[in-house]
Amino acid sequence: MFRFRLGSVPVHVHTSHLLFSAVLAYQSLPSPGRHSGAGWLGDQLADPSSPGHMGAVAAYVLSWMFIVFVSVLVHELGHAVAFRFYGYQPSVDLVFMGGVTRPNTDAPLPWHKDVVSSFAGPLAGLTLGVLCWAVLMQVKGRSEMADFFLNNFFFANMVWAVLNLLPVPPLDGGHISTALATRMFGRRGFIVSHVLALGLCVGVVLLAIKSGALFMGVLFAMFGFQAFRVLADVMRARNEAKEEEGPKAQSLREAQQALREDRLDDAWRLGNQVLETEGLSPGLTSRTHYLLGWVALKQGHGRPALDHFSQVQGQPVEMHAVAAAFSLVGDDARAVGYWKQAWGESQDRTVMHEYAGALIRLGQVNEALRLPGVDPAAAFRCAERALFIRGAYSEAAAVGEAALKHVPDPGIAYDAACAFARAGNVTEAVRLLQRAEELGFQDGAYAASDEDLAHLHGHPAFEAWLARLRPAASP
């Protein structure tokens, strides 16, 4: 790519533009034996066996590359002049088969400015073509090379201008027809303009197939596909707008409200009812999967959460939600990367402690405790909680015991006891309860009704421990 400026307008010429013009020029070489009408150049091109044939081919290709470059540049400068007239600061990029001129503004162009600036490009090309024709009429016959250049300049600019005025986006004529139709008829006009473009593209493709114009057929097939996609998106948006007023969307809103109120069973039931509905739009389907992913996450089910999040399209899934889901399925090696990225994006301390917890579960305790502003107790609790939720009780208890070496916290000791109790290890559970008592745990009433300690009921050591807390425990 190389760059230069024409006045206040920066011009960027991409390599793809030069390569495309070279290929186009090479494909337009005259057939062997057919004179191109350009003196020595034509003679050499017509005779492949002549010593100067390859030089003539190179000269022909370079000549056409120059013609294409100048013609496209003049066309884009027409747009740029119009943008400058309206007070914008345009820039020009010559890419692939043409160019792009941007007004460099964040606001959409008013319809009349869009129409005028779109028409200015073909008008500049037409002007250059007419100028070449006028000069040709004055000097015709004096020099075969001059005739060659002026004829081809005239031809290139006339064809390029007429082609660009066809009402097919993304051509200039497509911008003009869409802007005018939308201005006059609103959304209906926008749809009609693209239906017209699609029909015209189909006609041009059929004509190109009959005439053998492969390049033109491929080009308008691409334009037609683009118009079809726009129409499909418009119809999809219209259907989704109608759906938002229907019973399916209402059921999803009820499920979302249930999730906000932590009525997770209701949210799960309503969300699945929406998914089971026939004819659900992609947008509503995606939003429902997003909802169900969060419900599964809050219920502690990592695999269903990942399954639902993977089917969300058109809206982002929070990085910390994906990280939590991987933590719940036991894939901490993958979860830790998501936690780190989520913390970097949010700088949220809760997310940071979940990141530290994932590091601890991976055995990287020192790295976890070196995180800026980390609370060791919170980090270890996060590490233990994920293990506890996914049923790895012995591992959760081991993390709790390791935490006590760094943070002698009664809550951590109590949680480790609960994990041992869930794992069926009564002796170790009672030992950790006694450790929690030594560190200051006194809530006997809570311990007596805690389902996590249900395995300990009736065990003499546990009952004796509760008896010592009896003044604070319920009878």
Side-chain angles (χ1 to χ4, degrees):
M1 180 172 67
F2 67 93
R3 306 176 182 181
F4 60 94
R5 298 182 72 89
L6 290 174
S8 62
V9 180
V11 179
H12 300 166
V13 183
H14 295 253
T15 306
S16 61
H17 176 73
L18 300 177
L19 290 176
F20 174 80
S21 63
V23 172
L24 187 64
Y26 187 79
Q27 289 184 336
S28 69
L29 280 169
S31 303
R34 185 167 67 86
H35 199 283
S36 71
W40 173 87
L41 180 62
D43 294 335
Q44 299 300 316
L45 290 173
D47 184 7
S49 62
S50 65
H53 178 72
M54 293 306 297
V57 170
Y60 181 88
V61 170
L62 290 173
S63 299
W64 262 109
M65 288 178 66
F66 177 78
I67 290 170
V68 171
F69 173 79
V70 172
S71 300
V72 173
L73 179 60
V74 168
H75 177 100
E76 297 304 324
L77 287 177
H79 295 309
V81 169
F83 286 139
R84 287 289 296 149
F85 176 79
Y86 287 122
Y88 300 112
Q89 299 294 325
S91 61
V92 173
D93 284 81
L94 302 188
V95 293
F96 192 42
M97 68 182 69
V100 178
T101 303
R102 299 178 178 85
N104 294 322
T105 176
D106 295 331
L109 290 179
W111 72 272
H112 62 284
K113 293 182 180 180
D114 193 11
V115 169
V116 171
S117 59
S118 295
F119 184 70
L123 179 61
L126 286 170
T127 302
L128 178 59
V130 170
L131 180 62
C132 290
W133 178 82
V135 175
L136 177 63
M137 292 299 99
Q138 297 296 320
V139 302
K140 191 172 184 180
R142 299 180 187 179
S143 167
E144 290 190 12
M145 189 60 68
D147 290 351
F148 170 79
F149 265 100
L150 291 171
N151 263 314
N152 286 322
F153 257 120
F154 170 74
F155 172 78
N157 281 278
M158 291 297 105
V159 170
W160 188 244
V162 171
L163 181 69
N164 264 280
L165 286 173
L166 292 177
V168 176
L171 299 176
D172 294 322
H175 285 295
I176 294 170
S177 63
T178 301
L180 290 175
T182 304
R183 172 67 178 177
M184 291 187 290
F185 305 109
R187 180 184 292 270
R188 182 177 299 177
F190 179 87
I191 295 174
V192 169
S193 67
H194 280 77
V195 170
L196 173 64
L198 180 58
L200 184 58
C201 287
V202 171
V204 172
V205 169
L206 294 176
L207 185 62
I209 292 174
K210 289 183 179 180
S211 62
L214 178 62
F215 173 76
M216 191 64 67
V218 172
L219 181 64
F220 275 83
M222 292 169 55
F223 292 160
F225 179 70
Q226 182 174 332
F228 175 79
R229 286 188 60 183
V230 170
L231 289 170
D233 289 342
V234 169
M235 298 307 296
R236 187 182 303 112
R238 175 179 288 186
N239 292 337
E240 289 179 358
K242 291 181 179 178
E243 198 174 44
E244 286 296 326
E245 302 174 0
K248 303 172 189 175
Q250 179 58 35
S251 295
L252 178 57
R253 285 191 286 270
E254 291 176 5
Q256 291 168 336
Q257 182 62 32
L259 175 61
R260 286 191 290 269
E261 296 172 356
D262 281 332
R263 294 185 287 111
L264 300 182
D265 290 340
D266 290 340
W268 183 260
R269 175 179 54 80
L270 290 168
N272 279 289
Q273 286 177 358
V274 174
L275 278 187
E276 292 168 1
T277 307
E278 293 184 1
L280 202 63
S281 71
L284 205 56
T285 300
S286 181
R287 287 160 52 198
T288 306
H289 279 299
Y290 177 82
L291 166 96
L292 291 174
W294 268 105
V295 174
L297 201 61
K298 285 178 173 288
Q299 290 177 329
H301 306 311
R303 179 54 58 190
L306 287 173
D307 290 342
H308 284 293
F309 285 149
S310 68
Q311 298 178 72
V312 175
Q313 299 178 354
Q315 68 179 102
V317 176
E318 293 85 345
M319 196 65 65
H320 64 271
V322 179
F326 277 117
S327 291
L328 288 174
V329 299
D331 193 349
D332 283 314
R334 186 174 299 181
V336 73
Y338 286 105
W339 281 122
K340 183 177 181 179
Q341 187 172 344
W343 174 46
E345 292 176 356
S346 67
Q347 294 299 306
D348 185 275
R349 284 184 56 79
T350 300
V351 174
M352 186 262 284
H353 285 115
E354 292 289 358
Y355 170 41
L359 289 172
I360 290 172
R361 289 193 296 272
L362 290 172
Q364 302 174 29
V365 177
N366 292 335
E367 183 177 347
L369 299 183
R370 282 199 300 265
L371 293 177
V374 69
D375 177 1
F380 277 105
R381 284 195 183 96
C382 288
E384 183 181 13
R385 183 172 59 249
L387 292 167
F388 194 95
I389 292 174
R390 67 193 193 211
Y393 300 120
S394 296
E395 294 178 42
V399 168
E401 279 212 89
L404 291 174
K405 299 176 183 178
H406 299 272
V407 189
D409 182 88
I412 290 178
Y414 180 83
D415 290 341
C418 291
F420 273 128
R422 284 283 187 176
N425 193 334
V426 176
T427 302
E428 292 300 309
V430 171
R431 179 176 66 82
L432 265 296
L433 287 175
Q434 293 170 347
R435 175 65 172 147
E437 181 187 3
E438 292 172 4
L439 293 172
F441 183 85
Q442 293 295 322
D443 197 350
Y446 178 80
S449 60
D450 191 344
E451 293 183 1
D452 291 331
L453 301 178
H455 286 294
L456 305 184
H457 287 285
H459 191 279
F462 174 69
E463 298 298 337
W465 178 80
L466 274 182
R468 288 198 297 273
L469 303 180
R470 189 64 66 185
S474 53

